[in-house]
Amino acid sequence: MSWGGIIHAYRDRLPLPAAVQPVTLFEGNTPLLPAPRLAAALKGDLDLRLKYEGLNPTASFKDRGMTMAITHAVAKGAKVVICASTGNTSASAAAYAARAGISSAVIIPSGKIALGKLTQALIHGAKLLPILGNFDDALNLVRQMSNLPGVEVVNSINPVRIEGQKTASFEILEALEKTPDFHFLPVGNAGNITAYWKGFCEAIPKGPRPRMFGWQAAGAAPLVDGHIIKDPQTVATAIRIGNPASGPGALAAAKESNGRIDKVTDKEILEAYQLLAKTEGIFVEPACAAPVAGLKKAIAAGWIPKGSLVTMTLTGHGLKDPDTALSVAAKPSEPITPTVDAARKALGL
Ligand code: AN7
């Protein structure tokens, strides 16, 4: 069967008006890659599989929820979709709105959006509104604008977003034909961990289900620290969020699954980011490295029994944030005259 997107694949498990035509870019159906070299580098005796969501149409997991949100918005007759975003939601909303022939407006924290995400929103024709504030301030503004006529909010406070994102859990279970012991993923506004847990609960009604391990950045870890963070800071701008809208869903997922929400430092995130790229050939944006760093911490702490099957979501592609990649990678050498001698000398061959 050819792939036609998550609504086509899972329509019977998604809430949709009967006759509606999906707005889709054929999102989903992302690979679940074995990662033995990364597992070994983390000193873990485990079977690690990476759900590479950076291979969605706009290069992040947001497309699963956005096909649902834009399909609903069009069915309701919305003319404009609006969202607050740390970048990926805005890129996805802009693309799916273009696909549907409606307009989009995105409210972003000024100066804190990765270059690729900003580029995507602009090329798809979104109205981009930077604010003097962070993501939490942007979401607060969007909530206050949600009753304007013809406007539909497509943040994950819109419950159909969560519905779309839960399909990643279905795909993991189908690919493995068994249940992972653990599932690791980053946590920002906490919609995705809420969605994965919903997906696992629906697909495995009687259990046992994966233990959910969600990871925040240490400078933006309200769910670990137990209070709102007024001025969240992290190199992982995607998860620079101090007051997550779906916080209760994340805490419930961790509690009900006997999992945990924990944090890792920016230093640990940047180390894990490079390790993943170098050991497995998989390039992600910094937020995705939070669960990689988290797995290292969990293995060292003895939380992962030998032989465990661990799945991990890599939420966005590395090309989203070239600036961070260039800031940590080795610099190219100076230009040479193109002779074998000069090339051998420069390359040490
Ligand atoms: C790559 O785009 O919040 O815990 O506005 O872009 O569901 O918020 C992005 C979040 C993880 C966290 N990884 O997911 C936005 C936004 C990447 C992300 C998260 C985001 P949630």
Side-chain angles (χ1 to χ4, degrees), residues 61-62 85-89 135 186 188-192 238-239 241 285 315:
F61 73 100
K62 302 285 183 183
S85 184
T86 59
N88 279 325
T89 298
F135 170 84
N189 209 27
N192 211 29
I239 53 173
I241 295 173
E285 61 170 290
T315 43

Side-chain angles (χ1 to χ4, degrees), residues 302-326:
W303 298 336
I304 313 292
K306 274 193 194 340
S308 293
L309 175 57
V310 178
T311 50
M312 181 186 294
T313 309
L314 303 177
T315 43
H317 201 285
L319 290 172
K320 295 273 191 178
D321 189 354
D323 295 314
T324 300
L326 290 172

Side-chain angles (χ1 to χ4, degrees), residues 243-302:
N243 185 15
S246 298
L251 295 172
K255 189 163 179 229
E256 290 167 19
S257 73
N258 190 25
R260 62 192 294 140
I261 311 289
D262 206 332
K263 61 183 177 181
V264 284
T265 64
D266 277 9
K267 183 167 175 281
E268 291 170 316
I269 288 173
L270 289 176
E271 280 169 13
Y273 170 69
Q274 295 170 83
L275 185 68
L276 173 61
K278 286 181 179 156
T279 58
E280 296 290 357
I282 300 173
F283 184 25
V284 297
E285 61 170 290
C288 316
V292 179
L295 180 57
K296 182 177 180 184
K297 180 171 173 175
I299 289 168

Side-chain angles (χ1 to χ4, degrees), residues 7-337:
I7 294 178
H8 184 248
Y10 298 111
R11 194 164 184 133
D12 57 337
R13 299 195 244 178
L14 294 169
L16 282 156
V20 77
Q21 196 58 30
V23 178
T24 178
L25 288 162
F26 292 7
E27 59 295 312
N29 196 25
T30 53
L32 187 66
L33 292 160
R37 286 168 52 81
L38 177 61
L42 298 177
K43 303 191 169 44
D45 178 359
L46 51 95
D47 182 355
L48 177 61
R49 311 290 180 99
L50 305 174
K51 183 71 170 158
Y52 192 13
E53 289 286 280
L55 297 185
N56 273 296
T58 77
S60 87
F61 73 100
K62 302 285 183 183
D63 295 341
R64 294 179 185 275
M66 204 54 71
T67 182
M68 286 290 287
I70 302 293
T71 297
H72 270 263
V74 169
K76 282 164 78 175
K79 297 285 177 277
V80 186
V81 294
I82 186 170
C83 65
S85 184
T86 59
N88 279 325
T89 298
S90 61
S92 187
Y96 280 77
R99 183 85 169 156
I102 61 175
S103 50
S104 59
V106 304
I107 300 185
I108 54 169
S110 176
K112 296 291 184 182
I113 302 292
L115 185 63
K117 305 174 189 182
L118 199 63
T119 309
Q120 288 177 289
L122 291 171
I123 197 72
H124 293 304
K127 285 188 190 132
L128 202 70
L129 188 58
I131 59 158
L132 302 170
N134 58 32
F135 170 84
D136 304 296
D137 302 317
L139 186 58
N140 194 19
L141 176 58
V142 163
R143 285 183 196 273
Q144 294 173 61
M145 294 171 73
S146 62
N147 289 329
L148 297 178
V151 171
E152 178 81 355
V153 174
V154 296
N155 279 107
S156 56
I157 53 173
N158 179 338
V160 303
R161 279 273 315 275
I162 304 288
E163 293 291 329
Q165 287 172 206
K166 79 183 178 189
T167 60
S169 297
F170 301 162
E171 289 179 16
I172 287 172
L173 297 173
E174 285 163 25
L176 290 172
E177 295 181 330
K178 57 185 167 181
T179 303
D181 299 306
F182 295 86
H183 187 77
F184 277 57
L185 76 176
V187 173
N189 209 27
N192 211 29
I193 188 170
T194 304
Y196 270 76
W197 183 237
K198 187 167 198 292
F200 284 131
C201 289
E202 288 181 11
I204 319 166
K206 298 205 176 104
R209 306 184 190 108
R211 296 175 63 187
M212 303 295 291
F213 276 46
W215 296 89
Q216 301 204 286
L223 299 176
V224 185
D225 298 348
H227 55 83
I228 292 170
I229 308 294
K230 282 229 160 54
D231 185 21
Q233 293 298 345
T234 169
V235 67
T237 53
I239 53 173
R240 183 174 167 266
I241 295 173
N243 185 15
S246 298
L251 295 172
K255 189 163 179 229
E256 290 167 19
S257 73
N258 190 25
R260 62 192 294 140
I261 311 289
D262 206 332
K263 61 183 177 181
V264 284
T265 64
D266 277 9
K267 183 167 175 281
E268 291 170 316
I269 288 173
L270 289 176
E271 280 169 13
Y273 170 69
Q274 295 170 83
L275 185 68
L276 173 61
K278 286 181 179 156
T279 58
E280 296 290 357
I282 300 173
F283 184 25
V284 297
E285 61 170 290
C288 316
V292 179
L295 180 57
K296 182 177 180 184
K297 180 171 173 175
I299 289 168
W303 298 336
I304 313 292
K306 274 193 194 340
S308 293
L309 175 57
V310 178
T311 50
M312 181 186 294
T313 309
L314 303 177
T315 43
H317 201 285
L319 290 172
K320 295 273 191 178
D321 189 354
D323 295 314
T324 300
L326 290 172
S327 76
V328 298
K331 304 286 171 283
S333 56
E334 289 301 311
I336 58 157
T337 49

